[in-house]
Amino acid sequence: MDYSVIIPVYRSSSLLCVLVPKIIKIFTDKQVSCEVILVNDASPDDSWQVIQRLQREFPSHILAIDLMRNFGQHNALMCGLRHA
């Protein structure tokens, strides 16, 4: 992978369907490889279901991580960095 984009997710289900395809398109248009690491920080909305749907739609670009409880934005970001 040329680039990894890490996104901590909390109450973001409505934004993910817009944000993730745009990120992937930007890198694809520049002809560089990228992965988008989505770290669900125990979001109470349907963010995890949206993340799973995006992973099925873009399997070569999405890495989905589901934390077992809310650890906070910084810890979710660090989890994504460890996987990058």
Side-chain angles (χ1 to χ4, degrees):
M1 274 313 138
D2 293 321
Y3 293 93
S4 296
V5 178
I6 302 163
I7 303 173
V9 177
Y10 188 81
R11 293 185 190 222
S12 305
S13 63
S14 62
L15 303 173
L16 291 174
C17 292
V18 175
L19 177 65
V20 171
K22 284 185 179 185
I23 291 171
I24 293 170
K25 182 178 180 346
I26 288 168
F27 285 101
T28 303
D29 288 350
K30 294 186 180 292
Q31 298 179 346
V32 293
S33 64
C34 77
E35 64 180 351
V36 180
I37 302 173
L38 299 168
V39 183
N40 183 39
D41 194 17
S43 184
D45 63 1
D46 64 336
S47 291
W48 181 242
Q49 289 78 20
V50 172
I51 290 169
Q52 290 177 311
R53 187 170 68 241
L54 287 166
Q55 189 176 36
R56 286 190 300 273
E57 187 176 342
F58 303 103
S60 63
H61 293 284
I62 303 290
L63 173 61
I65 301 169
D66 190 26
L67 301 179
M68 59 193 242
R69 69 173 180 84
N70 182 274
F71 288 94
Q73 178 181 357
H74 293 99
N75 286 321
L77 185 59
M78 291 305 297
C79 179
L81 283 171
R82 280 191 291 275
H83 280 81

